[in-house]
Amino acid sequence: MELTGAKIVIQTLLDLGVSTVFGYPGGAVLFIYDEIYKEKKLTHILTRHEQGALHAADGYARVSGEVGVAIVTSGPGATNAVTGLATAYMDSIPMVCITGQVPVPLIGNDAFQEADIVGITRSCTKHNYLVRDVKDLARVLREAFHIAKTGRPGPVLVDIPKDVTTQITEYVNRSEEVKIRSYRPNLKGHAGQIKRAVTLLKNAQRPMIYTGGGVVLSNASDELFHFTEQMNAPITNTLMGLGAFPASDGRFVGMLGMHGTYEANMAVSHCDLLIAIGARFDDRVTGKLSEFAPHAKILHIDVDPTSISKNVHVDIPIVGDVKLVLEQINKQIESKSFQKSKPDMTPWWQLVEEWRSKDSLAYTQGESAIEAQYVIQKLCELTKGNAIVATDVGQHQMWAAQFYDFDRPRRWVTSGGLGTMGFGLPAAMGAQIAKPDDTVVVISGDGSIQMNIQELATCLQYKLPVITIILNNGFLGMVRQWQEFFYERRYAETDMSHQPDFVKLAEAYGALGLRAKKPNEVEPAIKEALASGRTAIIDIHIRPEGNVYPMVPAGAALNDMILL
Amino acid sequence: MRHIISVLVENEAGVLSRVSGLFSARGFNIESLTVAPVGDGETSRITLVSIGEDHIIEQIIKQLNKLIPVLHVADFTDGPHVERELMLVKVAAEQAQRAEILRIADIFRSRVVDATPSSFTIEVTGDVGKLDACLALLMPLGVTEMVRTGQVALGRGDRSMAKG
Ligand SMILES: Cc1cc2nc3c(=O)[nH]c(=O)nc-3n(C[C@H](O)[C@H](O)[C@H](O)COP(=O)(O)OP(=O)(O)OC[C@H]3O[C@@H](n4cnc5c(N)ncnc54)[C@H](O)[C@@H]3O)c2cc1C
Ligand SMILES: Cc1ncc(C[n+]2csc(CCOP(=O)(O)OP(=O)(O)O)c2C)c(N)n1
């Protein structure tokens, strides 16, 4: 059938199974929006800022595992999308962003609302396209989805000039067929490498499992659980990997890295085999490279060869999809002979338990000032650990990571790689749309929330009962903490005490506004918000100069932690 | 160490900036880069020279492979290969020096491709060592302008880059 480019965009999305897109209209995408208006099968969520649309699509993708889709206009619409793309790129989130572009004959002429968005986003997308011919449009969109969700996932941008959306061509639904001769990710583990890996696994006396976002992205939690059971080894998750292994399981020793637990970091520092699974040895995790896991052989499973031996030399690399590779490995370690020849883990576990008994996350909740940790623990308790938790960036993010216990994957939505303040609320909207029946909570700070607070209007428009908890310390707390520790308390430009009345602000948007200033007001406020079924903000005044502990100073070795 | 890396890419708009952008974004060193369509015109072949420690070169090759339009990457450094570069040099050629310049050109089996009463332009082809040596002799005679293509290379014998 003959369709216009604009109609092809919508039809291709539908044929690819897309039901929801997030976006913001403008001149260059008017024809596309006209088709959105006519097409009832596609839900469009109108955000209040393009950055919000991108983060919402991102949150939707993280929680659902589907490709998140955003549509924005050319020029400023496209440049507003850049932070959202970069955020998704750093965390390997599958997304497709469609941008409008000025008509082909005007490209390069400094036309009205022209931006070279393909040039601008080359280094923060997995791939991007400028579609100059309507005949390529459907194929390019299909390729974009294929690239976004396969291999190491990532955002893909498709820039569509306005005149391409009016041109007409033949459209045939070919959603299943995507062949890109230069793109074929390797998914199955090399048999020889698996064999070598199994030998290492068999002989390790102090094995340590370190897993990351790749396990979540690969939907490999079951395989990971089975593997960990067979190995009976301690396991730690990166910030991005939380939830992939149940926090309530005794083998879990918490997050590792800069704000990880003492036991996780000590176990990494003392293990003789580090089993890295879908994790990329980020500098927040490794600390001083030369002293990272100094006694260990390293086994690394990752679908992206560039992640392997990038920062830390790997002894046995296995390039492949976590799920498939773990299936391959699990088959071999289930065998009786493997289990029989494995060293006794008791001495290793004794060491780990000793480190754990230090209780590095301990804090005391007094009578007067509210401790942030207490708020998160209460939230976890009141939601039975079942909420989807999105965060902004800062101390509140770390406290959320340390004190909310996730037993399932895809319930934890945080910007780890880019560390984008302003991510939380819009990402939570996307999550709520993906999971309408689940409780979705944003943990934010008084700084971060002001970066995309306009999205409250979106929540109200679409009746999204997202609850935002502001851990209000009157500071850009994380930066202040660094200034306290490393800049002799010179609090340069981190005082945020001049702030709106968040309760009234919530009410102005039509949301529920609540406040807690004393420890005993925390629980009632959270309960009220949970019971209300409304979009809500809870402004919780916490101790202004509370710090995140433990902490490995940047560049220090993991076993060199600042404990409370 | 110096590495000559060949990259076979889809011949499409923007592919060169993807490759060069990778080098600048990741802080990889790039000594020279040449590119032209090859074969049926659907693919282009980029040859680039980079200097770096082994693990950096390994990252470069992996990162190049990761670019979607890249079909194949080969590092020629370890295997037998031929490498060539072309250089055009313009030398101020006053009467007294003309014979000397021609003699040097002859030694390096190079050709004079343009001559005026006051200058010669010489075309030299060879590996880097030969070009550098030739240039070293011409320099004192007054080189006014020059251009080099950067190196290209092919594996020796039956070795050839897989075509997707
Ligand atoms: C303020 C702040 C503090 C932070 N502190 C910490 C900290 O203390 N501890 C911490 O851990 N992090 C911390 N981070 C996060 C940190 O910056 C990184 O984002 C995080 O450590 C990276 O997690 P990851 O290694 O799991 O990699 P991800 O970014 O999740 O990457 C996933 C890896 O898995 C691979 N992969 C993807 N899909 C698959 C698949 N299907 N099969 C196989 N492999 C796959 C990818 O190629 C990649 O290598 C902090 C961030 C902020 C903003
Ligand atoms: C967009 C953006 N700008 C700046 C930063 C640097 N930064 C990291 S944490 C932080 C402070 C965040 O303050 P707040 O949201 O109040 O959270 P808190 O640390 O107090 O919990 C800043 C400014 C960032 N991560 N993102």
Side-chain angles (χ1 to χ4, degrees):
Chain A
M1 93 197 110
E2 299 246 299
L3 301 177
T4 63
K7 181 75 189 149
I8 288 174
V9 170
I10 305 306
Q11 197 54 50
T12 313
L13 292 180
L14 287 174
D15 288 340
L16 285 164
V18 175
S19 58
T20 308
V21 299
F22 301 85
Y24 207 98
V29 286
L30 270 169
F31 288 103
I32 297 177
Y33 271 81
D34 200 38
E35 294 302 331
I36 289 176
Y37 184 86
K38 294 179 206 156
E39 178 54 72
K40 296 289 164 258
K41 275 182 273 180
L42 191 69
T43 305
H44 179 278
I45 305 292
L46 174 66
T47 57
R48 295 302 184 266
H49 190 301
E50 286 88 355
Q51 188 187 349
L54 272 284
H55 291 330
D58 179 323
Y60 181 91
R62 290 184 202 233
V63 163
S64 68
E66 311 279 316
V67 177
V69 185
I71 305 180
V72 301
T73 192
S74 67
T79 54
N80 270 349
V82 172
T83 301
L85 290 167
T87 302
Y89 182 67
M90 289 297 276
D91 289 343
S92 304
I93 303 304
M95 262 176 31
V96 168
C97 175
I98 294 169
T99 48
Q101 182 52 281
V102 301
V104 172
L106 295 186
I107 290 178
N109 279 351
D110 301 323
F112 176 63
Q113 295 199 324
E114 177 178 3
D116 171 20
I117 200 62
V118 167
I120 290 171
T121 60
R122 202 159 273 148
S123 59
C124 63
T125 52
K126 183 172 174 185
H127 194 51
N128 58 19
Y129 294 89
L130 169 63
V131 183
R132 288 172 166 272
D133 187 337
V134 71
K135 291 197 193 71
D136 297 328
L137 185 54
R139 173 185 56 81
V140 165
L141 283 167
R142 285 177 207 129
E143 286 186 9
F145 274 75
H146 177 70
I147 291 171
K149 68 184 180 194
T150 52
R152 177 179 186 167
V156 180
L157 178 135
V158 181
D159 197 24
I160 309 178
K162 188 169 186 180
D163 53 341
V164 171
T165 64
T166 62
Q167 289 156 10
I168 292 175
T169 192
E170 181 68 17
Y171 176 82
V172 189
N173 179 14
R174 286 208 182 86
S175 297
E176 299 312 312
E177 310 165 23
V178 175
K179 273 207 192 98
I180 307 171
R181 63 173 179 159
S182 58
Y183 174 74
R184 287 189 213 129
N186 190 49
L187 300 179
K188 231 178 139 206
H190 183 275
Q193 291 299 87
I194 302 269
K195 217 167 141 192
R196 277 180 210 106
V198 170
T199 308
L200 275 188
L201 293 171
K202 196 187 308 192
N203 295 324
Q205 298 188 312
R206 299 187 308 279
M208 175 71 191
I209 305 170
Y210 144 55
T211 78
V215 179
V216 178
L217 293 163
S218 170
N219 298 312
S221 289
D222 291 346
E223 290 75 9
L224 176 65
F225 190 81
H226 192 58
F227 173 76
T228 309
E229 254 186 336
Q230 297 299 315
M231 287 300 297
N232 189 25
I235 173 169
T236 179
N237 293 164
T238 67
L239 182 76
M240 297 309 298
L242 294 174
F245 188 85
S248 56
D249 188 284
R251 299 181 194 88
F252 186 61
V253 295
M255 184 171 82
L256 83 166
M258 182 172 273
H259 292 297
T261 64
Y262 183 70
E263 54 270 34
N265 286 339
M266 290 304 275
V268 168
S269 302
H270 288 84
C271 65
D272 68 350
L273 174 65
L274 186 68
I275 307 154
I277 309 180
R280 60 183 172 82
F281 296 83
D282 184 84
D283 51 85
R284 300 272 119 155
V285 162
T286 58
K288 191 174 185 180
L289 278 175
S290 57
E291 286 173 41
F292 178 72
H295 315 291
K297 286 236 183 286
I298 299 183
L299 165 66
H300 188 186
I301 305 171
D302 204 291
V303 76
D304 180 356
T306 71
S307 281
I308 292 174
S309 290
K310 181 169 61 180
N311 307 326
V312 171
H313 173 77
V314 169
D315 299 288
I316 307 280
I318 305 180
V319 176
D321 181 70
V322 167
K323 195 182 181 82
L324 297 180
V325 174
L326 280 183
E327 273 172 10
Q328 288 172 280
I329 292 180
N330 283 346
K331 253 185 226 139
Q332 306 215 16
I333 65 176
E334 279 160 5
S335 75
K336 284 218 179 72
S337 71
F338 178 91
Q339 290 298 339
K340 245 190 264 159
S341 55
K342 221 164 68 80
D344 177 19
M345 288 290 131
T346 319
W348 178 221
W349 270 112
Q350 271 166 357
L351 267 176
V352 173
E353 292 306 342
E354 232 167 79
W355 293 319
R356 183 153 33 202
S357 68
K358 256 215 146 102
D359 198 5
S360 60
L361 296 179
Y363 70 96
T364 347
Q365 175 59 67
E367 301 262 298
S368 46
I370 302 173
E371 301 296 332
Q373 295 92 323
Y374 170 76
V375 178
I376 312 283
Q377 271 190 328
K378 269 288 156 224
L379 175 73
C380 186
E381 197 182 298
L382 294 171
T383 53
K384 302 189 178 67
N386 273 324
I388 292 171
V389 178
T391 75
D392 274 304
V393 171
Q395 292 180 312
H396 60 273
Q397 177 188 28
M398 293 300 110
W399 284 316
Q402 292 174 334
F403 288 90
Y404 200 99
D405 296 328
F406 296 94
D407 275 350
R408 287 182 288 158
R410 299 196 179 280
R411 315 293 290 178
W412 168 240
V413 181
T414 199
S415 164
L418 200 66
T420 308
M421 289 171 68
F423 173 78
L425 177 58
M429 295 174 348
Q432 185 76 79
I433 285 162
K435 298 278 176 205
D437 299 329
D438 290 8
T439 301
V440 179
V441 181
V442 184
I443 310 284
S444 187
D446 46 308
S448 293
I449 191 62
Q450 295 187 69
M451 284 210 176
N452 272 320
I453 197 156
Q454 76 286 345
E455 298 306 333
L456 275 179
T458 314
C459 290
L460 268 295
Q461 178 179 349
Y462 296 96
K463 301 196 168 50
L464 306 175
V466 171
I467 298 171
T468 301
I469 294 181
I470 303 175
L471 294 178
N472 192 340
N473 50 15
F475 279 110
L476 296 174
M478 179 59 90
V479 183
R480 186 207 55 74
Q481 177 172 345
W482 282 57
Q483 290 170 334
E484 177 185 333
F485 287 11
F486 312 116
Y487 297 85
E488 297 169 315
R489 301 184 142 240
R490 288 187 297 278
Y491 292 168
E493 305 300 321
T494 41
D495 186 325
M496 271 269 143
S497 51
H498 189 97
Q499 52 183 227
D501 180 329
F502 287 113
V503 171
K504 282 195 190 143
L505 189 65
E507 287 165 0
Y509 275 104
L512 174 66
L514 300 168
R515 179 169 289 129
K517 289 183 152 182
K518 287 200 262 77
N520 61 7
E521 293 167 357
V522 171
E523 183 165 337
I526 297 177
K527 275 187 172 159
E528 184 178 346
L530 287 170
S532 74
R534 293 172 61 192
T535 307
I537 281 203
I538 316 178
D539 180 23
I540 301 187
H541 290 234
I542 57 169
R543 188 156 60 84
E545 295 186 53
N547 287 323
V548 181
Y549 293 108
M551 176 172 188
V552 179
L558 280 190
N559 55 7
D560 200 1
M561 301 195 84
I562 304 176
L563 297 164
L564 182 64
Chain B
M1 188 168 155
R2 180 173 152 277
H3 288 251
I4 304 183
I5 298 166
S6 250
V7 193
L8 210 59
V9 299
E10 296 287 3
N11 182 15
E12 59 186 39
V15 65
L16 183 59
S17 62
R18 283 184 208 283
V19 170
S20 60
L22 176 75
F23 278 73
S24 59
R26 297 196 176 264
F28 297 145
N29 159 298
I30 190 164
E31 291 281 306
S32 74
L33 183 151
T34 73
V35 56
V38 290
D40 52 11
E42 277 189 16
T43 49
S44 286
R45 185 158 174 150
I46 297 174
T47 311
L48 46 88
V49 177
S50 183
I51 295 177
E53 288 173 33
D54 286 353
H55 72 278
I56 302 283
I57 300 291
E58 187 187 324
Q59 256 302 308
I60 291 177
I61 290 170
K62 287 174 170 178
Q63 292 285 356
L64 284 168
N65 266 313
K66 190 170 158 179
L67 293 175
I68 307 289
V70 167
L71 289 153
H72 199 72
V73 184
D75 180 356
F76 284 117
T77 314
D78 295 333
H81 64 278
V82 281
E83 50 182 270
R84 287 290 179 273
E85 180 172 6
L86 185 145
M87 170 171 76
L88 296 174
V89 204
K90 193 175 284 178
V91 200
E94 299 307 332
Q95 201 53 43
Q97 295 175 344
R98 291 180 85 88
E100 175 64 6
I101 293 169
L102 290 177
R103 205 164 26 245
I104 293 170
D106 198 43
I107 293 170
F108 287 94
R109 293 176 205 280
S110 51
R111 295 193 299 145
V112 175
V113 290
D114 186 42
T116 71
S118 56
S119 73
F120 282 133
T121 300
I122 297 169
E123 175 194 316
V124 203
T125 312
D127 61 19
V128 188
K130 173 175 162 185
L131 266 52
D132 288 349
C134 177
L135 199 59
L137 291 182
L138 290 174
M139 268 310 190
L141 300 171
V143 170
T144 58
E145 203 181 351
M146 60 169 292
V147 62
R148 296 171 74 147
T149 58
Q151 286 151 76
V152 293
L154 282 181
R156 276 194 189 277
D158 294 337
R159 284 176 13 130
S160 94
M161 272 173 93
K163 274 204 177 173

